[in-house]
Amino acid sequence: MPTPSEKSGRCLLTILIPVFNGEKYLDSLLKQFVRYYATKPDFFAGEKVEILVVNNLSTDGTQAVAETIAPQLPMLRVINADTHVPTAEQNVFRSFNWCNGEYTWVLGVDDIPCFASFSAIADILASRKYDFLQFNNLLIDEKMHTKSLPTPLLLKNELTETTVVQLVSRCGFWFILAGMSGQVLRTDKVRDYDFERLLRSTSIIYSHVTAYIEQYAAGRTALVNLPLVHYKITYRDISHWRNAAATLGVFDEFFWTTGFIRQISYLENKGIIGTSFL
């Protein structure tokens, strides 16, 4: 298994970009960071922020894209995993062990960062007050038009303190946490987490939500009224779920029925949520 490069060191934030066969998206995303770095270098000053690309044994040009752009981003590290894992969730959780940041932001390779929020995010992280930060991200359609805020809360304050359990109780078990790009979390609480054990007990799809609830239930949590990313809404990904179901040998709706019940039961058995949660 690869190890971090010699130039890596402890920092405040790791922007973790897990990717599999995403050369087109990765090229666009990293070039956005190149432009931002050229205009706002202070965000990365003092090596307080790193960008970490973890390539899940891609078969396209993902590795070449990352290595081509790396000289333009001195804070960029690229890890080419020597084994492929089947899901994005599994790639994320093994990647936490390579993150040098006190905090980690998992950024989907096809999501669009909201750079205007970055300075405010840096200030919040510098306080080191919170373990889990959920951001109020924007939804856009395929023509890049803003649709809505996904959070069913009309937030008046910039920051609202809460707990992870209260957050999912009010906003939905998957609804607010399903998008991996929407949170910044304290890395130590998920580093070395036994994610494969969780998968054996629950379900692959959206298992990261259950893991986050388990690991951050007792942590200090805040809902931040700022967007980290623009989430692009698409209605053409039904085949993804069908393919995942076929791979596992389960019926198409498994993840939202039996799989969902397994995850709720897992948290109930851990004493994290009560039997009245649903």
Side-chain angles (χ1 to χ4, degrees):
M1 195 63 73
T3 56
S5 65
E6 292 181 359
K7 71 175 182 179
S8 65
R10 193 69 178 173
C11 58
L12 179 63
L13 175 65
T14 295
I15 302 173
L16 170 62
I17 306 173
V19 58
F20 173 66
N21 285 355
E23 60 177 316
K24 178 181 70 173
Y25 295 114
L26 184 64
D27 182 73
S28 173
L29 180 60
L30 291 181
K31 284 178 178 177
Q32 290 179 66
F33 276 99
V34 169
R35 291 191 291 270
Y36 183 73
Y37 176 57
T39 58
K40 301 286 185 179
D42 288 351
F43 180 73
F44 301 96
E47 298 183 351
K48 64 177 179 285
V49 178
E50 69 169 354
I51 301 172
L52 174 61
V53 172
V54 178
N55 176 20
N56 186 17
L57 211 64
S58 296
T59 58
D60 66 355
T62 291
Q63 179 177 343
V65 165
E67 292 176 350
T68 298
I69 296 178
Q72 303 174 66
L73 289 171
M75 75 296 297
L76 174 63
R77 287 197 292 134
V78 181
I79 289 180
N80 295 300
D82 53 16
T83 57
H84 174 77
V85 290
T87 68
E89 290 90 342
Q90 288 166 290
N91 195 27
V92 165
F93 272 80
R94 71 170 171 182
S95 297
F96 286 136
N97 294 316
W98 297 320
C99 295
N100 291 317
E102 184 175 346
Y103 291 91
T104 296
W105 172 28
V106 181
L107 175 58
V109 70
D110 57 345
D111 291 327
I112 303 169
C114 294
F115 290 102
S117 300
F118 277 22
S119 61
I121 292 165
D123 290 342
I124 294 171
L125 295 182
S127 74
R128 293 174 168 83
K129 185 177 180 180
Y130 299 102
D131 300 304
F132 191 90
L133 294 163
Q134 172 64 49
F135 289 81
N136 207 14
N137 298 300
L138 295 167
L139 299 180
I140 59 174
D141 62 21
E142 294 180 348
K143 295 182 179 180
M144 306 296 286
H145 297 147
T146 300
K147 300 293 289 184
S148 67
L149 291 168
T151 306
L153 298 174
L154 297 176
L155 300 174
K156 296 181 180 179
N157 300 322
E158 181 178 314
L159 188 146
T160 303
E161 294 192 355
T162 183
T163 68
V164 170
V165 173
Q166 289 172 344
L167 194 61
V168 296
S169 296
R170 186 164 186 183
C171 302
F173 184 78
W174 289 321
F175 189 72
I176 194 167
L177 299 188
M180 286 190 180
S181 299
Q183 303 89 31
V184 174
L185 42 91
R186 192 178 295 277
T187 313
D188 283 348
K189 289 185 174 292
V190 284
R191 187 179 280 120
D192 297 320
Y193 178 78
D194 191 351
F195 193 64
E196 296 303 315
R197 170 192 54 82
L198 175 66
L199 296 186
R200 290 191 295 270
S201 302
T202 58
S203 166
I204 288 180
I205 303 300
Y206 295 144
S207 48
H208 70 286
V209 176
T210 302
Y212 286 170
I213 295 171
E214 178 181 5
Q215 293 302 99
Y216 295 97
R220 300 195 67 175
T221 299
L223 180 58
V224 184
N225 195 18
L226 288 170
L228 266 180
V229 293
H230 299 281
Y231 280 123
K232 188 178 293 185
I233 302 171
T234 178
Y235 301 99
R236 296 196 297 266
D237 61 353
I238 301 297
S239 61
H240 168 74
W241 308 115
R242 289 177 176 164
N243 292 339
T247 299
L248 295 173
V250 297
F251 56 96
D252 289 355
E253 291 78 18
F254 171 86
F255 309 116
W256 301 278
T257 53
T258 304
F260 174 70
I261 293 169
R262 286 181 180 178
Q263 297 195 60
I264 292 293
S265 297
Y266 176 88
L267 293 171
E268 285 182 359
N269 292 335
K270 289 280 185 177
I272 297 169
I273 62 174
T275 56
S276 62
F277 178 85
L278 285 177

